[in-house]
Amino acid sequence: MDYTAKLDEKLQSLHDEGRYRTFIDIERRKGAFPHAIWRRPDGQEQPITVWCGNDYLGMGQHPHVLEAMHEALNATGAGSGGTRNISGTTVYHKQLEAELASLHQKEAALVFTSAYIANDATLSTLPRLFPGLAILSDESNHASMIQGIRNGRCDKKIWRHNDVAHLRELLEELDPDQPRVIAFESIYSMDGDFGPIEEILDLADEFNALTYIDEVHAVGMYGAHGAGVAERDGLMGRIDIINGTLGKAYGVMGGYIATSAKMADAIRSFAPGFIFTTSLPPAVAAGAAASIKHLKNDPHLRALQQTQAQTLKDRLLALGLPIIDHGTHIVPVHVGDPVKCKMLSDRLLNDYGIYVQPINFPTVPRGTERLRFTPSPVHGPDEMDKLVSALDDLWSQCALNRAELTG
């Protein structure tokens, strides 16, 4: 086989479909977010405004976070020096896990290098802990959840997105004595819709199922202390395993699960993705703990972010742009064509200094390509005016339809 030719063929197919992904070199500057510098391919520097980041609250620039990271870095150095089992558990990791357990009102928490790894490692390990396990998964679950379920090689059932009636049908098909886990998300990031948490938990109680919720796009953002949608709705105590991230609203890096002490001990003891991975640098753990502590007591940032998101939605709707609005902080604008989606992204960047990444297949189904905006408390009125004006201009230039799409 001509391996190089095969690689060329595969890559060309992405170009032909208009969904080849390009990375742009961004230089974030402390205290300036959402403003940054784009290092263009020609070597020139161009100021840009980032509108698609997951640092939803700007905590990656927060003085409390940076101070905690500097202190830990000066005290310990750069890396942890090993896996959690072999010299990589420090006081900073223990403090972070205690902070997370407290946040979610659980007995214990385990920190991973990312929420992707936390999902993959945990979901793939559960079948080892419960022989004969069936995992029932929402069809729109994140790729990391899908990968973890696949790696677990257990009985899996896929239920239609947010369709609790279909979930009930699948539960009824299982042997009453078969162990089962229902895996779902609180906020699905591509459409920005909520999962029907309470209805799912009612089914879990009825059918004696464990529950696994991914709150990565909600932690820091919802609830009185930022523990997520389950906290907002008073449901955390009914959920067995909560997955979250430290790399979005908390502005740092890493992922975790919060659960019972015995479940955490079992995952810690059996999950290869936890056992054989070098632990987070202590400075990162310290910064994450500081971010969680701050957001527990700062509802103002959460409220301001929600206001910003609603303002952007209202202004885009007034222009007739087809936004997808399910009431969350995420603002997807439907394009429906990968080539036009990439063209819009390129024009926004080159002509207006606005950075938003096109979202194409396989992240979303074909025909639902979109631009996904994540307004934050630090996007000011001027930045929003420029974004809305640019989208208005480009929508006309590209002859795109102006029709509401509210989901």
Side-chain angles (χ1 to χ4, degrees):
M1 173 181 284
D2 185 338
Y3 294 101
T4 300
K6 183 58 67 173
L7 293 175
D8 288 338
E9 176 187 328
K10 288 294 185 182
L11 290 170
Q12 187 60 46
S13 70
L14 297 179
H15 285 285
D16 293 342
E17 293 180 35
R19 59 186 186 93
Y20 179 78
R21 302 183 185 201
T22 56
F23 299 153
I24 74 168
D25 295 337
I26 300 175
E27 181 180 328
R28 285 169 56 118
R29 294 186 172 175
K30 186 176 70 173
F33 185 77
H35 300 290
I37 298 297
W38 171 35
R39 298 190 180 277
R40 301 172 60 107
D42 60 9
Q44 299 297 310
E45 295 184 358
Q46 178 177 331
I48 61 170
T49 301
V50 178
W51 274 97
C52 60
N54 287 333
D55 186 358
Y56 292 133
L57 302 176
M59 290 302 293
Q61 307 283 306
H62 198 281
H64 291 177
V65 175
L66 301 183
E67 181 182 1
M69 295 185 73
H70 279 297
E71 289 180 358
L73 181 65
N74 291 335
T76 68
S80 69
T83 66
R84 288 293 299 274
N85 294 324
I86 305 175
S87 80
T89 295
T90 70
V91 64
Y92 300 99
H93 296 88
K94 299 300 289 184
Q95 288 172 349
L96 174 57
E97 288 176 339
E99 196 68 46
L100 288 165
S102 171
L103 174 69
H104 291 289
Q105 299 175 22
K106 296 297 183 186
E107 294 176 338
L110 281 180
V111 171
F112 296 76
T113 50
S114 72
Y116 188 108
I117 298 299
N119 271 334
D120 186 0
T122 304
L123 287 167
S124 64
T125 299
L126 289 175
R128 299 179 61 189
L129 304 177
F130 305 103
L133 181 72
I135 298 182
L136 299 99
S137 175
D138 186 291
E139 68 177 351
S140 294
N141 278 343
H142 190 265
S144 58
M145 301 176 74
I146 295 170
Q147 189 64 38
I149 294 167
R150 285 175 178 165
N151 288 341
R153 298 179 182 178
C154 65
D155 185 10
K156 65 178 180 181
K157 306 284 186 181
I158 309 300
W159 45 292
R160 291 186 294 271
H161 179 51
N162 280 351
D163 188 339
V164 290
H166 187 217
L167 174 58
R168 170 180 285 278
E169 292 174 12
L170 295 178
L171 286 165
E172 289 174 341
E173 293 173 1
L174 298 176
D175 186 307
D177 295 325
Q178 185 176 9
R180 69 283 310 269
V181 172
I182 303 174
F184 59 104
E185 299 184 34
S186 63
I187 294 177
Y188 292 85
S189 64
M190 288 302 110
D191 282 346
D193 56 331
F194 291 104
I197 302 174
E198 186 168 16
E199 295 173 77
I200 293 170
L201 296 179
D202 289 343
L203 283 177
D205 290 343
E206 181 180 347
F207 289 92
N208 189 29
L210 294 174
T211 48
Y212 185 104
I213 189 171
D214 180 309
E215 287 249 44
V216 297
H217 289 277
V219 292
M221 302 290 296
Y222 295 82
H225 304 95
V229 179
E231 182 191 33
R232 184 199 68 179
D233 296 347
L235 299 170
M236 280 198 304
R238 298 178 59 190
I239 299 172
D240 295 294
I241 305 173
I242 298 173
N243 169 277
T245 185
L246 305 168
K248 292 184 170 61
Y250 292 123
V252 192
M253 176 188 174
Y256 64 89
I257 59 168
T259 183
S260 68
K262 286 189 177 179
M263 181 69 78
D265 192 21
I267 298 299
R268 177 188 70 84
S269 300
F270 286 93
F274 182 85
I275 296 169
F276 298 107
T277 299
T278 298
S279 63
L280 286 177
V284 172
S291 184
I292 294 164
K293 287 179 183 178
H294 180 86
L295 288 178
K296 276 183 177 179
N297 301 297
D298 189 359
H300 171 71
L301 275 179
R302 286 190 283 280
L304 183 55
Q305 202 279 338
Q306 293 289 335
T307 299
Q308 290 283 78
Q310 191 58 54
T311 300
L312 181 58
K313 291 175 186 177
D314 291 343
R315 294 189 63 177
L316 295 181
L317 278 174
L319 296 175
L321 268 63
I323 73 166
I324 304 170
D325 185 8
H326 293 285
T328 65
H329 61 284
I330 296 168
V331 186
V333 179
H334 182 268
V335 179
D337 178 272
V339 175
K340 288 185 177 181
C341 196
K342 180 66 165 61
M343 179 176 63
L344 283 168
S345 173
D346 289 344
R347 290 284 306 277
L348 284 168
L349 182 63
N350 285 286
D351 300 348
Y352 299 90
I354 293 170
Y355 174 48
V356 58
Q357 192 73 3
I359 307 296
N360 295 330
F361 179 84
T363 306
V364 296
R366 299 180 194 275
T368 69
E369 294 80 8
R370 80 275 314 260
L371 300 174
R372 176 182 173 273
F373 297 93
T374 53
S376 78
V378 292
H379 285 92
D382 288 344
E383 287 87 359
M384 192 171 294
D385 287 346
K386 290 175 182 176
L387 172 63
V388 171
S389 176
L391 284 172
D392 190 19
D393 290 345
L394 289 175
W395 224 257
S396 297
Q397 293 176 31
C398 297
L400 291 166
N401 292 330
R402 293 178 184 259
E404 290 188 17
L405 183 73
T406 58

